[in-house]
Amino acid sequence: MADWRDDRIGSALRGENPTVLARMPGGFAVTGDPQWLPGYCLLLTDQPGVERLSELSRAERSDFLHSMADLGEAVERACRASDPAFRRVNLEILGNADPYLHAHVWPRYGWEDAELVGRPVWLYPAGKWRDPSTRLGPRHAALRAAIATQLLAPG
């Protein structure tokens, strides 16, 4: 049997992706696998085969970008409430590694290393991405629930 990670969008559409927080107009809000920056989330397109924002119609692009902004705001509210060192949220659409449209929502904190806190998260050492001690797990349930609640809260 294939792992849900092999087809994150298809597994979300089938209700089999355990990282899904909510279905949004522009796709699926999901929790990221690495959680060394607690609250890291992504917005996945809900259209299999779409690799670029430019492949969506104008209305679909608008839905995706508004959903990305709404997810960013939900992460900001939840992370601010859970950690007084919360600083901001970084939003990115890169598309360099995964062949499907997705946006990254990175919370940033004052406790990050001084040489990295003001720089792109992609400059973190490669080991951070694979560190089992910060992998998404049950200890992240409260923050995941807070983000999901914020997604449902009226703007």
Side-chain angles (χ1 to χ4, degrees):
M1 179 194 283
D3 188 299
W4 63 268
R5 290 174 195 87
D6 296 335
D7 181 8
R8 291 178 186 260
I9 295 167
S11 64
L13 289 167
R14 293 186 302 273
E16 299 168 358
N17 183 330
T19 66
V20 172
L21 296 166
R23 179 85 185 249
M24 302 181 74
F28 292 99
V30 302
T31 310
D33 297 342
Q35 286 292 308
W36 80 84
L37 294 173
Y40 167 53
C41 290
L42 299 97
L43 179 68
L44 304 179
T45 183
D46 56 5
Q47 297 186 40
V50 170
E51 295 184 15
R52 297 169 190 80
L53 189 62
S54 60
E55 294 175 22
L56 299 176
S57 70
R58 289 243 181 237
E60 292 166 335
R61 277 184 228 177
S62 180
D63 284 345
F64 187 85
L65 294 171
H66 280 100
S67 293
M68 179 181 72
D70 289 345
L71 177 56
E73 186 174 356
V75 168
E76 180 176 334
R77 288 179 180 174
C79 291
R80 181 181 294 124
S82 74
D83 188 336
F86 172 80
R87 295 181 65 228
R88 70 181 71 248
V89 165
N90 294 158
L91 303 170
E92 304 172 310
I93 300 174
L94 302 170
N96 296 330
D98 294 313
Y100 50 85
L101 176 62
H102 60 287
H104 300 271
V105 179
W106 286 104
R108 303 303 300 265
Y109 296 93
W111 46 255
E112 292 178 62
D113 291 337
E115 67 273 5
L116 294 171
V117 70
R119 308 202 55 209
V121 73
W122 308 104
L123 296 179
Y124 267 86
K128 281 284 194 188
W129 296 86
R130 295 182 292 278
D131 184 350
S133 72
T134 59
R135 200 94 180 133
L136 179 62
R139 68 190 170 284
H140 302 107
L143 186 53
R144 289 185 79 234
I147 294 168
T149 297
Q150 289 297 327
L151 285 170
L152 299 174

